[in-house]
């Protein structure tokens, strides 16, 4: 694959993200944002298109044409401190009396906590014959964005894993740039889960090309699915297929599989692109249809606190329904990794 790509300098530079090797400016979270990229046609996977035209022919279980890598970042399991006050007002405005009664006690009663919704998410996905990956933080109480102690989630982690869904690591703010931090958080999560974790995504999508891939490989991860833009949906390096990254500094492939992120809920609807539901759905459909066209893998990130009753949950189910109607293989990052490395990589 690399030899063929190298023949096309423009696509090789895009695939390897050459422009990110000499960055003079990053955003507030030390990320390389889409608005600084010279690659403007982000909604078309130009590199994957080239590879398909030159012989890449992925196949998926049961003859499915494309795959959906379905994922959730678990940033918080306890509502915001203002939720017990604001929650009842919002619930009453929607005519949800029972929810309004529960909201004031949501931070002390798990049964009434809308963010403690892992089993509800599993049930919804099972309805569409789908599975997913849950990436959990393993922070200490002194770290930025600490919201929960991973040790308190042993039962839930076990239930998710035993049900056939995946538990992976959601690295902390500084993990993307620290091997020691990545290893320590991996150890904490594995200690609670009781088995090795293979999948990773960094908090706030913080990432440094090619350094973060190298650190994750050294830490023992098999795949990463951080690599997408926070400020725009689409194909960051023109790929809609999993791939082994290439380190331009050392002239070699990195021993980790990247399953690139394409759609994040907050990119579309909340913090960045700020699309209304109609425009967001047009964008989502285009990206799904495009990945189907090239027999690719589309990675979708939907946070657990965006899977609470309301418009965001309805949107998420609409995505599941649309992909299921297209007969996509909707599954976890771990299953994508296992299939790609055993069935597709050996032949390419």
């Amino acid at each position: 694959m690399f030899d063929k790509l190298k023949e096309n300098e423009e696509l090789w530079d895009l695939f390897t993200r050459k422009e990110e090797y000499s960055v003079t400016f990053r955003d507030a979270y030390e990320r390389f944002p889409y608005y600084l990229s010279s690659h403007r046609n982000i909604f078309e996977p130009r590199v994957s298109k080239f590879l398909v035209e030159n012989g890449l022919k992925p196949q998926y279980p049961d003859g499915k044409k494309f795959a959906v890598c379905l994922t959730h970042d678990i940033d918080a399991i306890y509502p915001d401190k203002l939720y017990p006050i604001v929650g009842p007002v919002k619930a009453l405005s929607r005519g949800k009396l029972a929810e309004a009664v529960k909201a004031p006690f949501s931070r002390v009663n798990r049964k009434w906590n809308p963010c403690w919704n892992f089993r509800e998410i599993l049930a919804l996905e099972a309805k569409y014959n789908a599975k997913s990956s849950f990436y959990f933080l393993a922070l200490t109480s002194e770290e930025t964005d600490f919201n929960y102690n991973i040790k308190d989630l042993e039962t839930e982690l076990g239930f998710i894993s035993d049900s056939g869904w995946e538990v992976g690591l959601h690295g902390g703010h500084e993990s993307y740039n620290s091997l020691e931090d990545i290893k320590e958080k991996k150890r904490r999560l594995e200690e609670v889960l009781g088995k090795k974790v293979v999948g990773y995504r960094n908090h706030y999508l913080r990432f440094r090309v090619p350094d973060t891939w190298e650190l994750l490989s050294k830490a023992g991860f098999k795949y990463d699915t951080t690599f997408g833009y926070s400020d725009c949906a689409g194909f960051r390096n023109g790929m809609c297929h999993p791939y082994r990254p290439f380190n331009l500094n050392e002239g070699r492939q990195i021993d980790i599989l990247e399953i690139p992120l394409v759609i994040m809920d907050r990119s579309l609807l909340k913090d960045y692109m700020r699309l209304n539901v109609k425009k967001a759905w047009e964008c989502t459909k285009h990206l799904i249809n495009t990945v189907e066209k090239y027999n690719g893998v589309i990675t979708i990130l939907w946070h657990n606190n965006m899977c609470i009753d309301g418009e965001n949950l309805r949107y998420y189910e609409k995505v599941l329904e649309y992909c299921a109607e297209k007969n996509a293989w909707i599954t976890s990052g771990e299953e994508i990794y296992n299939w790609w490395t055993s069935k597709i990589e050996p032949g390419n």
Side-chain angles (χ1 to χ4, degrees):
M1 182 177 79
F2 288 150
D3 291 340
K4 180 63 68 173
L5 265 181
K6 287 177 181 178
E7 295 174 6
N8 187 314
E9 184 177 357
E10 180 186 1
L11 291 183
W12 178 247
D13 289 349
L14 173 58
F15 171 74
T16 58
R17 298 304 299 141
K18 182 179 179 180
E19 67 178 351
E20 296 191 40
Y21 279 73
S22 55
V23 176
T24 57
F25 175 81
R26 297 180 186 271
D27 72 6
Y29 295 100
E30 290 296 312
R31 300 173 300 197
F32 182 84
Y34 169 62
Y35 62 77
L36 286 182
S37 177
S38 61
H39 170 224
R40 305 316 299 166
N41 193 13
I42 194 172
F43 297 130
E44 294 300 322
R46 295 171 57 210
V47 178
S48 279
K49 178 177 183 290
F50 175 85
L51 293 174
V52 168
E53 290 172 348
N54 283 274
L56 178 63
K57 296 180 180 179
Q59 295 180 336
Y60 302 101
D62 302 320
K64 295 183 185 296
K65 192 175 179 182
F66 72 109
V68 179
C69 180
L70 200 59
T71 68
H72 309 284
D73 289 357
I74 312 303
D75 295 344
I77 62 169
Y78 295 107
D80 184 271
K81 291 180 180 179
L82 292 178
Y83 181 78
I85 300 171
V86 177
V89 177
K90 290 185 176 180
L92 287 172
S93 70
R94 300 196 307 269
K96 303 280 188 177
L97 180 59
E99 185 179 323
V101 172
K102 294 175 182 178
F105 308 99
S106 59
R107 290 180 61 85
V108 295
N109 189 327
R110 291 177 183 176
K111 292 182 179 179
W112 292 354
N113 179 350
C115 298
W116 199 284
N117 57 350
F118 313 117
R119 300 184 186 219
E120 288 80 3
I121 293 172
L122 264 64
L124 174 62
E125 292 170 355
K127 176 181 172 183
Y128 295 95
N129 196 29
K131 292 182 180 179
S132 64
S133 300
F134 289 77
Y135 302 109
F136 286 87
L137 292 165
L139 304 177
T140 64
S141 58
E142 295 80 21
E143 292 183 272
T144 302
D145 287 345
F146 175 82
N147 177 270
Y148 58 89
N149 188 329
I150 193 64
K151 293 180 180 179
D152 296 337
L153 292 173
E154 183 175 359
T155 300
E156 296 303 314
L157 298 187
F159 181 83
I160 291 168
S161 181
D162 292 345
S163 298
W165 275 246
E166 181 191 9
V167 172
L169 179 64
H170 195 32
H173 270 289
E174 304 304 324
S175 301
Y176 79 103
N177 205 29
S178 169
L179 179 59
E180 292 73 22
D181 195 67
I182 292 173
K183 284 184 173 180
E184 174 58 21
K185 287 175 170 52
K186 185 172 185 283
R187 183 197 65 77
R188 286 182 207 154
L189 179 58
E190 290 175 342
E191 187 176 78
V192 177
L193 181 62
K195 68 177 188 179
K196 296 290 185 182
V197 296
V198 299
Y200 182 90
R201 179 180 288 130
N202 208 86
H203 196 36
Y204 274 67
L205 304 186
R206 300 185 76 174
F207 201 92
R208 187 69 59 90
V209 174
D211 302 344
T212 304
W213 281 314
E214 294 285 7
L215 296 178
L216 292 173
S217 176
K218 290 175 182 176
F221 285 97
K222 300 299 184 182
Y223 79 86
D224 170 71
T225 184
T226 308
F227 202 63
Y229 288 117
S230 58
D231 58 335
C232 193
F235 310 103
R236 182 165 174 169
N237 75 332
M239 287 292 289
C240 68
H241 297 94
Y243 61 92
R244 301 280 177 177
F246 193 88
N247 187 327
L248 289 176
N249 290 332
E250 300 185 10
R252 60 170 176 80
Q253 177 179 282
I254 303 171
D255 187 22
I256 193 166
L257 191 74
E258 179 62 39
I259 309 175
L261 177 62
V262 180
I263 296 174
M264 178 172 73
D265 48 12
R266 289 172 180 167
S267 298
L268 288 175
L269 296 166
K270 193 173 181 181
D271 298 327
Y272 297 99
M273 298 170 75
R274 296 182 179 274
L275 302 176
N276 61 35
V277 172
K278 181 180 178 182
K279 286 292 184 182
W281 182 243
E282 289 175 4
C283 180
T284 300
K285 280 182 64 176
H286 170 77
L287 292 169
I288 293 171
N289 294 343
T290 299
V291 172
E292 178 189 28
K293 178 181 177 181
Y294 296 113
N295 308 112
V297 176
I298 183 166
T299 302
I300 297 173
L301 161 56
W302 219 259
H303 292 77
N304 64 309
N305 52 9
M306 291 282 277
C307 291
I308 299 170
D309 181 37
E311 187 173 77
N312 292 324
L313 178 60
R314 289 193 295 272
Y315 193 101
Y316 180 60
E317 184 164 10
K318 189 175 182 179
V319 171
L320 291 174
E321 183 177 24
Y322 187 71
C323 292
E325 287 175 352
K326 284 183 162 290
N327 197 31
W329 182 34
I330 312 173
T331 192
S332 66
E334 183 175 16
E335 290 201 352
I336 295 287
Y337 168 82
N338 289 336
W339 180 267
W340 194 268
T341 55
S342 64
K343 304 292 186 181
I344 299 175
E345 265 191 341
N348 288 286

